[in-house]
Amino acid sequence: MEKKDNFGRALKKLAASSLLLPLVANAGYTLEEAFQEVNQQTGRCLKMKNRPVDAVQDTWFDSLSSDQKRAVLFELSKRAVDRCTLEAREKYSWALVKQAGETGDLEGIKDWIALNSPIDGKAQTIVKSLPEEEINRLSLSDDFYYPFDSMSLRDSLISQ
């Protein structure tokens, strides 16, 4: 119990410092309001995934194998959704930190970290083996900046 109390006190001290200005800026949000906002924004972003991208006109992407293309499209889609939900997820994260500092209850933070931790698998291994600057470049392009229909694009590209 003492460890939990020490952590709570440390979080309160940290919250009082200027290091957590975003926490102060979002102090008016309750955890429930932040939770609702992240869910609503995630829903809006997922609806955007219906946005078609018909082709990828990129020399680097064209040079990839089918498995590499699948992995890159998965990563581009993930980054687009992450970018679309970033502000709401940050507000919710800060609301969780605030709650943990006030109550000493870390379960919400632990669950949020688990939910947002990368999943290692074949696609992640492939992505890590490719040049990050190329994936970043594609991720920031007009076609892939916002959520898109990655499944249809993948199916159309891989079947060619």
Side-chain angles (χ1 to χ4, degrees):
M1 181 67 175
E2 185 178 315
K3 192 174 191 178
K4 197 183 233 186
D5 290 341
N6 287 339
F7 183 76
R9 281 194 292 274
L11 273 176
K12 285 178 186 177
K13 273 184 167 176
L14 191 55
S17 76
S18 62
L19 295 174
L20 290 181
L21 287 177
L23 178 60
V24 174
N26 296 319
Y29 277 89
T30 67
L31 185 61
E32 180 61 31
E33 289 168 335
F35 181 76
Q36 288 176 358
E37 185 176 332
V38 79
N39 281 329
Q40 289 169 352
Q41 183 60 27
T42 299
R44 286 189 288 270
C45 295
L46 291 177
K47 284 181 184 174
M48 290 176 70
K49 287 188 77 157
N50 294 327
R51 185 177 68 83
V53 173
D54 298 322
V56 181
Q57 307 223 337
D58 187 84
T59 306
W60 176 77
F61 186 83
D62 290 342
S63 72
L64 300 175
S65 71
S66 292
D67 281 347
Q68 289 172 323
K69 287 178 181 177
R70 281 187 197 96
V72 167
L73 289 173
F74 175 77
E75 179 67 15
L76 293 174
S77 179
K78 180 185 165 309
R79 288 183 186 192
V81 172
D82 285 351
R83 191 171 18 256
C84 184
T85 60
L86 180 63
E87 186 177 331
R89 286 183 300 112
E90 285 178 344
K91 286 179 181 176
Y92 183 65
S93 297
W94 287 117
L96 282 169
V97 169
K98 180 182 172 191
Q99 179 197 38
E102 291 171 352
T103 66
D105 182 3
L106 304 178
E107 289 307 308
I109 289 177
K110 288 178 184 177
D111 291 344
W112 187 239
I113 289 170
L115 181 64
N116 288 283
S117 295
I119 299 170
D120 283 330
K122 182 179 177 185
Q124 207 52 34
T125 302
I126 291 170
V127 166
K128 287 178 183 177
S129 73
L130 297 172
E132 178 66 24
E133 62 275 4
E134 293 293 341
I135 297 170
N136 280 339
R137 182 181 57 76
L138 278 178
S139 176
L140 297 174
S141 70
D142 290 343
D143 285 334
F144 303 115
Y145 191 82
Y146 296 103
F148 63 97
D149 186 350
S150 60
M151 301 300 267
S152 293
L153 179 59
R154 182 205 65 199
D155 291 347
S156 72
L157 289 175
I158 306 306
S159 65
Q160 294 177 353

